[in-house]
C-alpha cells in the first residue's frame, strides 16, 4: 500500500484563514495526510487556550497536531513533504534544515505551487 503524501500547515496566520481551511479540507478529501505544526505551547491556559486550534482541526478532520513549544519547526517536519506557513524566517529554517518543501501562504499563488509539486510527484 502506497503511503499518503503528508502536508503540514502552520496554524496562526495560516490555517486560521478560511481559504486555507477550505484547501486543507479538499486535500484531506483527496486522500492527503494533513497535520498542524505550530509554535504554540500544548498547555495554554485561558484566555489563551488552544480551543480555536482544536475546533478547526476537529472540523477539518485533522488528527495530528505537533506543538513545537517555540522550537524550530524544521525539526518536527522530517516526515512531511510540504509545509505551508506565513513566517518567512520559519520557511528559511525549514529549507535549510529539512527535506520538507516550504511554501509561503503570503504568496499570491500558494495553492498553485502546492498543486504543481503534487503533480510533479505523480499524485492526483
Amino acid at each position: 500500500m502506497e503511503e499518503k503524501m503528508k502536508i503540514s500547515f502552520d496554524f496562526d496566520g495560516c490555517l486560521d484563514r478560511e481559504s486555507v481551511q477550505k484547501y486543507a479540507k479538499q486535500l484531506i478529501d483527496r486522500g492527503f495526510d494533513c497535520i498542524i505544526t505550530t509554535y504554540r505551547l500544548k498547555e495554554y491556559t485561558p484566555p489563551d487556550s488552544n480551543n480555536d486550534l482544536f475546533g478547526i482541526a476537529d472540523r477539518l478532520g485533522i488528527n495530528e497536531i505537533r506543538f513545537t513549544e517555540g522550537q524550530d519547526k524544521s525539526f518536527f517536519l522530517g516526515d512531511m513533504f510540504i509545509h505551508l506557513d506565513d513566517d518567512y524566517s520559519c520557511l528559511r529554517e525549514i529549507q535549510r534544515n529539512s527535506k520538507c518543501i516550504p511554501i509561503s501562504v503570503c504568496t499570491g499563488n500558494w495553492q498553485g505551487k502546492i498543486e504543481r509539486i503534487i503533480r510533479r510527484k505523480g499524485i492526483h
Side-chain angles (χ1 to χ4, degrees), residues 36-117:
I36 296 170
T37 305
T38 179
Y39 281 133
R40 286 187 181 196
L41 302 174
K42 188 173 187 175
E43 299 297 326
Y44 266 145
T45 55
D48 299 315
S49 68
N50 286 315
N51 291 342
D52 56 343
L53 187 151
F54 292 129
I56 289 172
D58 187 52
R59 186 169 44 79
L60 296 176
I62 295 176
N63 299 318
E64 185 177 349
I65 301 170
R66 296 178 184 181
F67 293 91
T68 72
E69 310 251 338
Q71 296 181 31
D72 185 343
K73 289 179 188 173
S74 66
F75 301 119
F76 294 80
L77 298 171
D79 58 337
M80 292 294 114
F81 187 67
I82 296 170
H83 176 75
L84 187 68
D85 209 298
D86 67 315
D87 182 331
Y88 285 108
S89 62
C90 172
L91 294 166
R92 281 192 303 275
E93 289 302 315
I94 292 167
Q95 190 169 24
R96 282 188 206 129
N97 299 324
S98 78
K99 293 181 181 181
C100 180
I101 299 170
I103 302 287
S104 174
V105 73
C106 300
T107 60
N109 192 21
W110 57 268
Q111 287 175 296
K113 290 178 182 179
I114 293 172
E115 290 300 319
R116 280 191 297 279
I117 292 166

Side-chain angles (χ1 to χ4, degrees), residues 2 10-11 15 18 24 30 35 47 57 74 86-87 95 106:
E2 187 177 316
D10 172 46
F11 186 75
L15 195 59
E18 193 172 320
R30 289 166 53 194
I35 74 156
S74 66
D86 67 315
D87 182 331
Q95 190 169 24
C106 300

